[in-house]
Amino acid sequence: MQVFKFGGASVNSLERIRSLVQIFRENAGQSILVVISAMGKTTNALEKVAESFYRQDKEKALQLFDQIKQEHYQTAKALLTASYHSCEEQLLNFFTEVEWLLHDQPVQSYDYYYDQIVCIGELLSTSIVSAFLNESGIKNEWLDVRDILRTDDNFRDANIDWEFSASKVNQLVKPLLADNGIVLTQGFIGSTDENESTTLGREGSDYSAAVFANLLNAEKQTIWKDVAGVMNADPKIFPTAQLISTLNYTEVIEMAYYGAQVIHPKTIKPLQNKGIPLQVKCFLDTSLPGTLIHNEPVKNLPPIIVWKQAQVLLQLKSKDFSFVGEKPVAALYHIFAQHSMRPNMTQNGAISFTCVLDENAEKLEQLAFEAAQFFEVSMEKGLSLLTIRHNVPGLLDQLIQGKEWILKQETRETVQALLKTG
Ligand code: ASP
Ligand code: MG
């Protein structure tokens, strides 16, 4: 059996949803567990609803929510005929649940409400797509993933309860997949033992699919995207970017670490543990070979270029000319941990410590304030961090030509340069 994951971009228009039919026809006769994200930018829109609700701007929250409702009703209406009314009823139930909540006053944490509201994006998209595929002759069973994937209550970044989820997969999913069944469910969301909805972190559907692949011992997981596969650079920035046909898990983790938005990094471990290959394929042209990611070493990789924008340089100097040694650095990392901020690059000098972080206005201010207990703090914003894995001579110079660089670092595998943008 296989696991397919379709992201928001693959279901962001009627045409794209319709084109899913062909993909399933090409894979007829196979057992497939299908994980789907919320349509297009629905998650972002639902985040805005959650923010308005928590600000106690009920009118705004309801108004924004109504837009999401109308969009989904329209999509369902355009795609469905015989099953429109049953689908509409299913959508209505999800909408009503959230609307009840929006009429309340917030008394719990923001993260809790975020998950109760944002989780419906995936429930709506899968309800519509499942009904549409059934009408199109692709028989499938829709499951509410919250009945299967149990998590803890670490809202917005919930952790899977593997044991409980495994028993649910065995009990509810496997029988449906037997005899070439197709099961269609939501990515990104789960549920606590008290039936509260949870989410697994933004872009978490890749990870949901990997959890299923692991629990089902899938032969393969396929992530369907609107690009040819994993490229060695962002084709929007580098028109000469090329497809990488084979990668291994470690390289993907490295790429994600440096900021390449390829695959959610949490996806890799569940697959690696069971040696399940991951394929990235293009839903716009299924004849393209895509990228295969496995556990074996891969030689002769092209240079992999990652350009991370919106970076901040934080310069921390000791206040009394003492060395910036283990103690102040430990205190600093303690502050990073408290704010869940990971430096993307660091450099230690005698009386200064330099680090590069993602620009996150709110967290940075607090972080700088706390670090000021130990250091003299200065900050430079509006930078970008260029990383090249498997660098070749001359490439870095070519890429940074005409730009002012602030910091460079080089190892055998990786070179990085912090640049002034513009
Ligand atoms: N819909 C969620 C998001 O946009 C999860 C996902 O797409 O993987 O983050
Ligand atoms: Mg997505």
Side-chain angles (χ1 to χ4, degrees):
M1 67 83 43
Q2 301 193 44
V3 173
F4 281 2
K5 182 260 174 172
F6 293 96
S10 56
V11 288
N12 70 358
S13 70
L14 298 176
E15 192 196 339
R16 286 188 171 181
I17 297 173
R18 289 194 178 106
S19 70
L20 296 181
V21 173
Q22 188 52 29
I23 295 179
F24 285 98
R25 284 199 186 126
E26 285 168 14
N27 290 278
Q30 301 196 39
S31 300
I32 308 174
L33 184 287
V34 188
V35 166
I36 302 185
S37 302
M39 289 177 181
K41 300 277 175 233
T42 307
T43 305
N44 293 0
L46 286 164
E47 282 185 340
K48 296 257 168 349
V49 175
E51 283 162 20
S52 300
F53 166 74
Y54 211 68
R55 271 203 315 270
Q56 302 202 21
D57 189 346
K58 190 161 101 182
E59 291 311 304
K60 184 85 192 159
L62 286 166
Q63 182 207 328
L64 291 170
F65 190 64
D66 195 56
Q67 276 172 26
I68 297 168
K69 263 171 77 170
Q70 299 316 327
E71 278 164 22
H72 283 84
Y73 279 138
Q74 274 166 22
T75 305
K77 202 166 246 164
L79 288 168
L80 304 174
T81 50
S83 56
Y84 177 71
H85 287 292
S86 61
C87 183
E88 190 188 30
E89 213 168 293
Q90 197 180 5
L91 300 183
L92 183 66
N93 285 338
F94 297 130
F95 292 139
T96 309
E97 232 174 279
V98 173
E99 275 165 344
W100 274 344
L101 182 151
L102 295 180
H103 279 98
D104 276 347
Q105 297 288 322
V107 287
Q108 304 212 40
S109 74
Y110 174 68
D111 291 353
Y112 166 80
Y113 289 112
Y114 176 104
D115 282 3
Q116 310 319 303
I117 295 167
V118 167
C119 75
I120 83 155
E122 272 62 18
L123 293 161
L124 302 172
S125 67
T126 52
S127 301
I128 297 172
V129 173
S130 168
F132 171 70
L133 290 176
N134 272 322
E135 276 196 17
S136 311
I138 310 292
K139 292 289 162 242
N140 69 89
E141 290 282 341
W142 180 90
L143 284 183
D144 187 331
V145 79
R146 297 172 301 176
D147 295 330
I148 303 158
L149 295 188
R150 173 166 291 178
T151 69
D152 63 9
D153 62 359
N154 190 25
F155 296 108
R156 288 184 74 183
D157 191 19
N159 302 293
I160 300 284
D161 175 341
W162 284 86
E163 208 175 306
F164 185 89
S165 305
S167 73
K168 286 290 176 189
V169 162
N170 290 337
Q171 183 191 331
L172 298 172
V173 184
K174 282 189 182 163
L176 294 174
L177 284 172
D179 294 330
N180 306 329
I182 297 178
V183 172
L184 199 145
T185 195
Q186 305 79 39
F188 178 54
I189 69 174
S191 160
T192 68
D193 56 357
E194 291 180 14
N195 286 325
E196 297 156 314
S197 301
T198 52
T199 66
L200 309 174
R202 286 303 308 263
E203 303 302 327
S205 295
D206 290 351
Y207 176 56
S208 305
V211 171
F212 276 112
N214 177 297
L215 295 176
L216 289 161
N217 292 312
E219 289 150 43
K220 188 164 80 179
Q221 172 173 331
T222 305
I223 296 183
W224 295 91
K225 283 183 169 280
D226 54 0
V227 289
V230 180
M231 314 289 281
N232 75 325
D234 183 346
K236 286 181 213 116
I237 307 175
F238 298 97
T240 54
Q242 59 185 103
L243 178 79
I244 311 174
S245 60
T246 322
L247 276 171
N248 64 24
Y249 297 128
T250 315
E251 188 64 37
V252 172
I253 294 276
E254 293 282 349
M255 289 169 73
Y257 176 82
Y258 291 110
Q261 273 156 8
V262 260
I263 291 149
H264 194 293
K266 267 163 99 180
T267 312
I268 301 303
K269 196 70 203 152
L271 298 177
Q272 190 181 25
N273 282 351
K274 294 253 173 108
I276 301 167
L278 173 64
Q279 199 167 27
V280 179
K281 290 266 290 177
C282 181
F283 61 75
L284 300 169
D285 183 354
T286 58
S287 68
L288 295 176
T291 300
L292 184 68
I293 301 161
H294 54 52
N295 220 2
E296 311 304 321
V298 176
K299 291 208 186 85
N300 303 323
L301 282 171
I304 295 175
I305 303 165
V306 185
W307 211 304
K308 218 168 188 249
Q309 307 291 338
Q311 299 294 296
V312 177
L313 176 75
L314 208 60
Q315 218 142 18
L316 305 138
K317 287 210 171 95
S318 73
K319 287 181 168 172
D320 54 2
F321 274 89
S322 62
F323 288 155
V324 176
E326 66 284 8
K327 285 194 182 126
V329 174
L332 183 66
Y333 268 85
H334 184 68
I335 301 174
F336 286 154
Q338 275 179 329
H339 295 285
S340 305
M341 285 195 90
R342 174 175 62 83
N344 298 322
M345 189 186 198
T346 61
Q347 187 142 304
N348 211 156
I351 56 165
S352 76
F353 186 83
T354 306
C355 55
V356 179
L357 299 153
D358 289 343
E359 200 167 321
N360 176 328
E362 235 168 83
K363 283 188 176 183
L364 266 175
E365 214 168 287
Q366 186 59 27
L367 190 138
F369 174 76
E370 287 171 31
Q373 294 171 69
F374 311 99
F375 303 98
E376 253 173 48
V377 183
S378 66
M379 221 191 275
E380 186 172 348
K381 293 188 183 168
L383 307 176
S384 60
L385 182 61
L386 173 69
T387 303
I388 309 174
R389 302 232 341 127
H390 320 292
N391 189 28
V392 290
L395 181 59
L396 180 69
D397 290 337
Q398 184 195 326
L399 292 177
I400 68 175
Q401 199 183 26
K403 295 194 164 57
E404 193 179 331
W405 63 269
I406 298 172
L407 192 62
K408 281 189 200 173
Q409 268 179 12
E410 183 159 9
T411 67
R412 272 190 291 181
E413 283 299 338
T414 308
V415 332
Q416 290 190 287
L418 183 69
L419 307 164
K420 291 207 178 184
T421 320

